Amino acid sequence: QVQLVESGGGLVQTGGSLRLSCAASIPTFSYYTMGWFRQAPGKERDFVASIGSESVYRVYTDSVKGRFTISKDNAKNTVYLQMSSLKPEDTAVYYCVAKSGGASRVENDYSYWGQGTQVTVSS
């Protein structure tokens, strides 16, 4: 059974940094596209970033470009989201996701979801 377990969320001040981790129990992890979505209070869940199976193709939503970096360690079955220059509008529950095949910004394309980790950025 596939499981995605996020960690690394917390409370940080504006301008600070956090690194989210997602440990995946996927036997063929290296072949999967991994990604992150987020959901702010009272808002829909939005795409944040994704990384392809060979870590070559990375996609970011415009609002995090230049501030967030997604990376993947196939040896550890783990995907990371390094977040810097955080803003209050980054406050959300962040979800790790996984899919076979190529990268996608579409929520329904992802087969597997973690339970989410809270990120709160104070002003």
Side-chain angles (χ1 to χ4, degrees):
Q1 182 177 354
V2 173
Q3 283 191 318
L4 304 177
V5 180
E6 303 100 334
S7 61
L11 174 64
V12 65
Q13 291 185 333
T14 296
S17 299
L18 281 175
R19 188 176 81 157
L20 304 183
S21 300
C22 172
S25 62
I26 301 176
T28 54
F29 177 81
S30 62
Y31 295 108
Y32 273 69
T33 288
M34 303 298 295
W36 294 90
F37 280 72
R38 67 184 179 185
Q39 187 169 23
K43 296 187 178 181
E44 294 185 349
R45 195 153 51 186
D46 293 326
F47 170 80
V48 177
S50 68
I51 185 167
S53 58
E54 298 301 325
S55 300
V56 173
Y57 191 61
R58 308 181 195 206
V59 181
Y60 299 93
T61 192
D62 287 347
S63 63
V64 308
K65 284 180 181 177
R67 300 189 299 120
F68 291 11
T69 302
I70 188 170
S71 61
K72 191 170 178 259
D73 187 335
N74 288 334
K76 295 182 178 180
N77 278 26
T78 300
V79 62
Y80 304 97
L81 186 68
Q82 178 67 49
M83 307 184 294
S84 303
S85 301
L86 283 161
K87 305 174 181 180
E89 51 263 44
D90 295 317
T91 294
V93 177
Y94 284 71
Y95 297 91
C96 175
V97 295
K99 68 181 294 292
S100 58
S104 173
R105 298 172 180 262
V106 179
E107 180 176 336
N108 289 343
D109 286 348
Y110 287 87
S111 302
Y112 304 108
W113 290 73
Q115 82 286 354
T117 186
Q118 176 71 47
V119 171
T120 303
V121 184
S122 64
S123 57

